[in-house]
Amino acid sequence: MKKTYISLLFCLVSLLLKAASSVRLTPIPSLPQLPVSAIHRIFQDSEGIMWYGTVNGLCRDDGYQVDVIRSDIHTPGLLRNNLVQSISEDAKGRIWFGTDAGAYILDKTDRQVTPLDPERLQGSAVYSIRKTSDGCMWLATDNRLIRYDASGRHQKTYSLYDPEGKPSWMAGFCESRQKEILINLGREGIYRYDRKRDTFIHYADPPAERNLTYFVQDCTHNYFWIGTSGNGALLFNPSAPKDSLYTYSPLPVNSMGEKEGNILYLAQDNNDGTLWMTTRSSLIAMRYDEKKRQLVQTDFRLPAEYGSMLNEIYKDKNGALWVSSFDGKSFIVHFAEDAPEEYPLTTLAQRVKSQPAIMALSDAGEGKLWISQERTGLGLYDLQHNRVSLYPDFPSLTRLSLGTIKLMSEARREGNVWVIPEGENLIYEFRREGMQIVHVRTLSLPSPKPDEYFTQTYENEHGTLWAGTNHGLYTFNLQKRQWHTLCDTLGQVSCIKEDKRGNLWIGTTDKGLYRQSKTDNCQRIIPSLPITCLSLQEDTCVWIGTQEGGVYALHVKTGQLTDHTRLCGLTGNVVNQLEYDVYGHLWIDTNQKLIEYNPRNHSFSTYLTTDNSLLLHRFIPTALCKGHDGRIYLGGIPGICAVTPSARLDQPSPETPTFLTGINVMGQPRNWKGHLTLQPDEYSLEIHFSSLDYLNAGKIRYAYRMDGLDKEWNYTTEGQPVAVYKHLPKGNYVFEVKATDGYGVWSDKITRIHIKRLPAFYQTGWAMAFYLLLIVGGIYAGIRFYLRRMKQENEELYADSTELMKMRSYLNGNRQDVHPEVQISDREFANLDKMLLDNILKAVEDNLSEPDFDVQHLAEKANMSRSTLTRKLKAITGLTPLEYIRRVKMQHACRMLKDSHTTVNEVALALGYYNRKYFTACFKEEYGLTPSEYQKKQEQEGISESKEG
């Protein structure tokens, strides 16, 4: 019941906060790209592209890139004068713009600029161009109002003179919702266009001051708002009696406290009907009070950075107001229903005589916050009544170490807080009594390690205070006042969170994630992440932020760790804090970015300190807390912001269109109309695109693919909406692109363009046919060559086969039983015998020293079977192979024994006989003598021959 009550109360607070939309000012994002910082005219065309008139040309802005149309070194003589005074668009989508020396028409498809009616307009300053519902274009120049049709053909010129015949000028032009065209002449009053008579007739006298300027019709009523050059804004009601056509209001007051009645331009917002007007010195907002029947100035005040010399104010299709400034930043006034509530803490700033720098926060209840101000210390701030109490206001607290506080956590007793002085072994508890700060207790470790100090605290509902240090984790029993060491080797404890089951999750900066259950000891769950913060999603998921800028989800049941870093738009900055809200969204705090992330559809919304969407221009890592009202409170410089969670990120996918804003082929701009054709020598392609959401341009992501080339979507980085193809192959493609909205939700609406790259001549069908003929001819020639080659090889094979048959007949020893064509002659037989015997002899002589060289080895050397060798050798020599081997060896033995210095043993070993007796027996069997006897005989014969000589 209590939870339901809190949820209902939170929803009610959210609705009340949403009811009051917040006004935001944002500098026009593309200002740095403009040729000059000052803008004269602002216009949005039918596609949503913004156009600016400046002293140095007409500027086209698609949210990311600015193109300038002007006369310069690249386009000399394009315009007679670069000062653009007026901009409009005709029914054909062409841009008309007036300069100080004539008017021009820009064709957006080919960027061609054509002078408009040079005979009438050349040299004239065209200060106003308007299109009416019938497609006519109305140009004001000098004392003339000129009408053209949508093609630029002149229809009629209306001369403007006062009753005395003096030239006059058109101060305002308006087409009402009833299709009536009204103009006001500065001193002559209001005239209405009579279509039948094709002339302007007097409609209403001017007010007594005769000083009318700009005018617009009210958004909901049929009356008009008209500016004057001295009497502020008047309500003009054509239906009222003639003596009460104009209703005056008190003059507004500018930022210097002076009354301001010189109105230059007017626009009425769609938010609550507030009338916005630029004056000679400021931007003023007034709201019509129906009871008082007059305009009442709001509390809006223009910051000095936007200047005081403002010019035009223009309302775009989304209801945002674009204001041009001469001496400051031109800017956009927009209305954010989800804008954070801002607390500049003015009382604190007055007390400390410097801007607020909030280092820590904790909800103290009843609209009050515990705060820590840099270089001042602990304090209490009443956000509702803008009151502050600082600890030096209470003498009893001055002895405590409260000057540097960066860590706070809420105590279980309502309004109480635990405070940790930076880098000390101290924990304080304080309670709030109204705006009084009361010290409750001081805690410290009884036996700390050297340089040990507290880093985190958490008090559970059972009266136990969990305290982390830079070394480990401890508990303090508040009733028994006893310390207990859980683990003093965890390293620095960065965060402590408790789930609904009573499990504690402990994050450390260098040893990962631990879980402490009621029964088990501290268990390490993830060992490696440098954890800075944790947040729990019921009992199902633990969200983890890291020092390296990562965000991970640990699913408790499965233990699976999922990386959400890229999905939520993080780029590596340290994740300081995480908070989970009632809508199931995760709030991620970094130094310059606050992200609201929806894990269900991966949409996210970003608050930046750099885009004026927040009061804060710097977030403090330790200054974030979730208040009792469900809001997320952020502290920083210079104050506090409170962000209200909502269900906006749960909305279905929006129909966000993506527009193609430019195509470059080979580095040059190219026109297209639904399709694009590239020539054979055009292969480099750049395609620029934009959703034309200028306020969220830096947050929007794009995905593109070239169907027919890309298999997957390509995702762009933020701020770079361009697809680049360096070498597009020939063929037919469909380029597709889609975008997210400002919250990161992907649109289902896909923009497509058909692209065809023509083939070169050598890639055409005719070329392919020619290539095919060449291939067929080549194949035919190859086949003919192959057939001829095969015939030649067959003839050679036949000749080889004849020789083989002869060899076979020879080896078989059969000279008669063969084909007549292969008869072997006696001479051929003798030659073959000699060749075979030479091969056999060489094989034996090459292996004389091998003792294992036998008949089988000899047959292998001769490339024939053992039986064939035996048969042929027996037929030629009458010896068996073994006998032939022995005879050859014995012959070599005889030659060796003729040398008297060679021993019988050496001869035997040289011939592969390791058994001398066997060698002797073989030699004697061959020659009838032993080797020794043979050697002696040779010696004696040598002596006898020498004597005879």
Side-chain angles (χ1 to χ4, degrees):
M1 176 66 75
K2 182 178 180 181
K3 180 180 177 181
T4 303
Y5 172 75
I6 293 174
S7 299
L8 290 174
L9 180 61
F10 173 71
C11 292
L12 178 61
V13 171
S14 300
L15 291 173
L16 291 174
L17 290 170
K18 283 178 175 288
S21 298
S22 178
V23 176
R24 293 288 166 184
L25 303 183
T26 300
I28 294 177
S30 56
L31 280 178
Q33 298 185 52
L34 299 183
V36 292
S37 58
I39 297 175
H40 286 291
R41 293 291 175 266
I42 301 174
F43 178 77
Q44 186 178 38
D45 66 19
S46 56
E47 293 178 317
I49 293 176
M50 302 302 299
W51 299 80
Y52 313 127
T54 72
V55 296
N56 201 6
L58 176 68
C59 302
R60 174 186 180 272
D61 179 12
D62 66 5
Y64 301 95
Q65 181 176 331
V66 171
D67 298 322
V68 183
I69 295 92
R70 63 183 176 184
S71 291
D72 57 19
I73 58 174
H74 304 292
T75 54
L78 182 66
L79 309 178
R80 287 177 57 85
N81 189 291
N82 283 335
L83 197 160
V84 176
Q85 293 276 23
S86 52
I87 312 171
S88 188
E89 181 184 25
D90 63 23
K92 297 180 179 181
R94 300 179 302 173
I95 297 297
W96 293 44
F97 61 100
T99 72
D100 266 2
Y104 298 85
I105 298 177
L106 169 67
D107 190 330
K108 292 188 291 184
T109 60
D110 58 11
R111 304 291 176 89
Q112 293 298 313
V113 176
T114 306
L116 173 66
D117 197 1
E119 294 182 1
R120 291 183 178 85
L121 299 177
Q122 185 172 342
S124 299
V126 179
Y127 59 86
S128 176
I129 303 178
R130 297 298 186 92
K131 182 185 78 171
T132 49
S133 57
D134 57 3
C136 291
M137 305 297 293
W138 301 78
L139 279 69
T141 174
D142 303 327
N143 66 322
R144 296 176 295 165
L145 180 61
I146 308 174
R147 189 176 86 239
Y148 294 87
D149 66 12
S151 299
R153 288 189 294 267
H154 174 263
Q155 291 184 328
K156 188 173 181 178
T157 298
Y158 306 87
S159 298
L160 307 178
Y161 292 95
D162 64 13
E164 299 178 359
K166 296 179 181 180
S168 187
W169 71 94
M170 189 190 76
F173 184 103
C174 178
E175 183 179 22
S176 70
R177 287 186 293 273
Q178 294 74 29
K179 310 301 181 185
E180 280 192 325
I181 298 174
L182 304 178
I183 65 172
N184 68 54
L185 304 185
R187 295 189 299 267
E188 287 70 51
I190 300 173
Y191 288 75
R192 180 176 62 85
Y193 178 62
D194 188 327
R195 298 180 187 274
K196 292 182 179 180
R197 297 166 56 185
D198 192 13
T199 188
F200 283 90
I201 61 174
H202 189 266
Y203 190 56
D205 291 327
E209 295 80 9
R210 295 181 176 271
N211 55 359
L212 300 181
T213 58
Y214 198 80
F215 76 122
V216 296
Q217 189 175 26
D218 188 84
C219 291
T220 56
H221 301 86
N222 291 330
Y223 50 73
F224 298 81
W225 296 103
I226 302 181
T228 69
S229 59
N231 298 94
L234 309 181
L235 186 153
F236 168 62
N237 187 352
S239 302
K242 289 187 177 182
D243 59 350
S244 56
L245 289 175
Y246 301 99
T247 301
Y248 289 78
S249 297
L251 293 181
V253 177
N254 62 25
S255 57
M256 295 176 288
E258 303 168 343
K259 289 186 177 182
E260 181 64 80
N262 194 338
I263 309 300
L264 303 179
Y265 290 88
L266 296 168
Q268 190 176 25
D269 69 39
N270 299 333
N271 185 51
D272 58 7
T274 298
L275 195 65
W276 297 79
M277 54 197 80
T278 55
T279 70
R280 287 287 182 181
S281 62
S282 188
L283 175 67
I284 291 174
M286 303 186 76
R287 193 174 295 119
Y288 186 64
D289 189 323
E290 294 285 352
K291 294 182 179 180
K292 297 181 179 179
R293 299 184 62 81
Q294 64 182 19
L295 289 170
V296 178
Q297 187 172 3
T298 70
D299 59 359
F300 171 81
R301 295 295 182 269
L302 183 67
E305 64 182 288
Y306 297 107
S308 60
M309 302 175 67
L310 308 180
N311 200 7
E312 186 174 26
I313 180 168
Y314 180 89
K315 183 166 67 174
D316 68 15
K317 295 177 180 179
N318 297 321
L321 305 177
W322 297 61
V323 183
S324 61
S325 175
F326 180 77
D327 62 338
K329 299 177 181 177
S330 296
F331 57 94
I332 307 171
V333 180
H334 53 103
F335 310 94
E337 293 183 351
D338 56 353
E341 189 169 359
E342 299 175 343
Y343 302 96
L345 311 184
T346 54
T347 305
L348 177 63
Q350 294 171 0
R351 282 286 308 271
V352 300
K353 294 180 173 55
S354 65
Q355 62 181 346
I358 305 304
M359 309 305 292
L361 286 175
S362 182
D363 197 332
E366 298 180 353
K368 301 172 179 63
L369 289 178
W370 293 100
I371 65 169
S372 173
Q373 164 70 17
E374 175 71 1
R375 301 185 181 183
T376 299
L378 182 67
L380 263 174
Y381 207 97
D382 185 340
L383 299 179
Q384 296 178 359
H385 302 96
N386 200 23
R387 296 183 298 166
V388 65
S389 296
L390 299 174
Y391 86 93
D393 299 337
F394 308 97
S396 61
L397 303 181
T398 55
R399 58 184 176 82
L400 304 179
S401 181
L402 298 175
T404 307
I405 305 295
K406 291 186 178 179
L407 295 169
M408 295 181 181
S409 67
E410 192 172 349
R412 289 288 174 174
R413 289 149 299 285
E414 185 175 359
N416 284 24
V417 66
W418 294 101
V419 173
I420 302 175
E422 185 177 16
E424 295 193 32
N425 176 27
L426 289 172
I427 300 175
Y428 298 119
E429 183 183 5
F430 295 95
R431 72 171 180 267
R432 178 184 64 82
E433 295 180 358
M435 288 296 292
Q436 303 291 313
I437 301 175
V438 180
H439 177 228
V440 177
R441 73 183 87 201
T442 300
L443 304 177
S444 62
L445 289 175
S447 302
K449 293 182 179 181
D451 300 325
E452 187 168 16
Y453 56 87
F454 288 108
T455 58
Q456 281 293 329
T457 57
Y458 170 75
E459 182 184 351
N460 67 16
E461 61 183 3
H462 304 294
T464 299
L465 179 69
W466 299 75
T469 72
N470 57 329
H471 289 289
L473 185 65
Y474 305 84
T475 61
F476 182 79
N477 190 308
L478 296 176
Q479 295 179 350
K480 298 180 180 180
R481 299 184 179 182
Q482 293 179 347
W483 283 101
H484 175 65
T485 302
L486 287 179
C487 182
D488 58 1
T489 59
L490 295 182
Q492 181 162 323
V493 176
S494 56
C495 43
I496 305 172
K497 297 289 182 179
E498 183 181 19
D499 63 26
K500 292 185 176 180
R501 297 181 181 180
N503 298 316
L504 254 72
W505 297 85
I506 302 104
T508 66
T509 57
D510 51 3
K511 293 188 178 181
L513 179 68
Y514 291 81
R515 180 176 61 194
Q516 174 72 47
S517 65
K518 293 181 178 179
T519 56
D520 298 332
N521 293 328
C522 201
Q523 178 184 4
R524 182 184 286 189
I525 306 299
I526 300 175
S528 58
L529 290 178
I531 298 174
T532 56
C533 50
L534 298 173
S535 186
L536 303 183
Q537 179 183 349
E538 302 294 334
D539 289 334
T540 61
C541 183
V542 179
W543 289 94
I544 303 170
T546 71
Q547 184 76 25
E548 297 169 344
V551 169
Y552 304 87
L554 174 66
H555 298 270
V556 176
K557 291 185 179 180
T558 64
Q560 181 181 2
L561 189 68
T562 306
D563 188 353
H564 287 253
T565 305
R566 294 189 62 187
L567 295 174
C568 58
L570 289 173
T571 57
N573 293 327
V574 179
V575 178
N576 297 322
Q577 299 288 340
L578 295 174
E579 280 293 350
Y580 204 75
D581 68 23
V582 295
Y583 292 99
H585 301 165
L586 186 70
W587 292 80
I588 306 165
D589 174 41
T590 68
N591 285 343
Q592 290 189 321
K593 182 186 293 186
L594 175 68
I595 299 172
E596 180 186 3
Y597 173 58
N598 185 351
R600 293 183 291 275
N601 61 10
H602 307 306
S603 61
F604 62 86
S605 176
T606 305
Y607 300 89
L608 299 173
T609 60
T610 56
D611 65 355
N612 293 333
S613 61
L614 287 173
L615 165 71
L616 306 180
H617 54 76
R618 180 183 172 189
F619 296 137
I620 299 300
T622 50
L624 183 143
C625 74
K626 183 162 69 174
H628 300 162
D629 56 4
R631 294 196 293 173
I632 307 297
Y633 288 86
L634 297 105
I637 302 173
I640 296 173
C641 286
V643 185
T644 303
S646 69
R648 60 184 179 168
L649 297 185
D650 297 302
Q651 301 302 317
S653 172
E655 292 296 320
T656 303
T658 304
F659 300 91
L660 301 182
T661 58
I663 295 179
N664 292 338
V665 178
M666 304 301 291
Q668 299 299 320
R670 175 64 61 86
N671 307 319
W672 75 95
K673 290 184 179 179
H675 67 277
L676 177 67
T677 301
L678 303 181
Q679 297 303 315
D681 58 345
E682 296 176 335
Y683 50 83
S684 178
L685 180 66
E686 287 185 10
I687 304 177
H688 296 261
F689 35 82
S690 173
S691 65
L692 302 180
D693 186 349
Y694 294 85
L695 290 170
N696 295 303
K699 304 176 184 178
I700 292 174
R701 293 174 291 167
Y702 298 89
Y704 67 88
R705 66 183 175 189
M706 188 74 76
D707 189 18
L709 182 66
D710 298 326
K711 294 182 178 179
E712 303 290 340
W713 286 97
N714 301 295
Y715 295 89
T716 66
T717 57
E718 292 181 355
Q720 295 184 347
V722 59
V724 179
Y725 293 90
K726 292 294 186 182
H727 200 290
L728 185 68
K730 68 178 181 67
N732 295 305
Y733 307 97
V734 177
F735 179 78
E736 301 178 324
V737 61
K738 62 181 180 178
T740 66
D741 63 2
Y743 299 139
V745 181
W746 285 102
S747 171
D748 293 330
K749 193 168 185 177
I750 299 176
T751 299
R752 296 178 174 87
I753 180 175
H754 292 268
I755 298 176
K756 180 178 182 180
R757 183 176 175 233
L758 299 175
F761 171 75
Y762 56 83
Q763 298 173 317
T764 61
W766 290 106
M768 295 297 109
F770 177 71
Y771 300 150
L772 182 60
L773 288 175
L774 287 178
I775 293 172
V776 171
I779 293 174
Y780 175 73
I783 292 174
R784 287 200 61 184
F785 175 79
Y786 173 76
L787 292 175
R788 293 179 63 183
R789 180 64 180 169
M790 288 299 298
K791 182 178 179 181
Q792 182 180 353
E793 289 180 355
N794 288 337
E795 291 175 353
E796 293 175 354
L797 182 62
Y798 177 75
D800 292 341
S801 65
T802 302
E803 294 299 322
L804 289 173
M805 290 178 68
K806 290 181 179 181
M807 181 61 70
R808 180 179 178 184
S809 299
Y810 163 75
L811 293 175
N812 290 333
N814 188 350
R815 301 176 59 181
Q816 303 299 328
D817 190 18
V818 295
H819 196 278
E821 294 183 3
V822 292
Q823 290 293 331
I824 307 174
S825 65
D826 292 340
R827 185 177 179 179
E828 288 177 327
F829 238 101
N831 289 335
L832 291 174
D833 286 346
K834 184 176 183 304
M835 289 173 59
L836 177 62
L837 201 58
D838 289 344
N839 288 335
I840 293 173
L841 178 61
K842 185 178 185 305
V844 174
E845 289 180 340
D846 289 344
N847 293 275
L848 287 175
S849 62
E850 297 294 332
D852 297 329
F853 189 76
D854 55 10
V855 177
Q856 183 62 38
H857 288 92
L858 181 59
E860 292 175 358
K861 295 290 185 180
N863 295 318
M864 58 183 65
S865 66
R866 180 170 181 167
S867 59
T868 301
L869 174 65
T870 301
R871 185 173 61 253
K872 291 303 299 181
L873 195 59
K874 186 74 173 178
I876 297 171
T877 64
L879 302 173
T880 65
L882 188 60
E883 291 172 342
Y884 183 81
I885 293 171
R886 188 174 66 180
R887 175 164 293 185
V888 173
K889 287 189 175 186
M890 294 304 106
Q891 290 175 353
H892 278 274
C894 289
R895 287 194 291 271
M896 295 174 68
L897 289 171
K898 288 181 180 181
D899 185 358
S900 60
H901 299 291
T902 303
T903 65
V904 175
N905 194 44
E906 290 175 346
V907 173
L909 291 175
L911 297 176
Y913 293 97
Y914 293 116
N915 188 330
R916 179 175 176 177
K917 290 182 178 180
Y918 179 67
F919 170 68
T920 300
C922 291
F923 190 87
K924 187 174 183 179
E925 183 180 350
E926 186 71 27
Y927 294 108
L929 298 172
T930 65
S932 299
E933 292 173 345
Y934 179 81
Q935 192 174 37
K936 290 179 180 180
K937 181 179 177 181
Q938 293 297 319
E939 289 178 359
Q940 291 175 358
E941 290 179 354
I943 295 172
S944 299
E945 291 177 355
S946 61
K947 288 181 177 182
E948 291 177 358

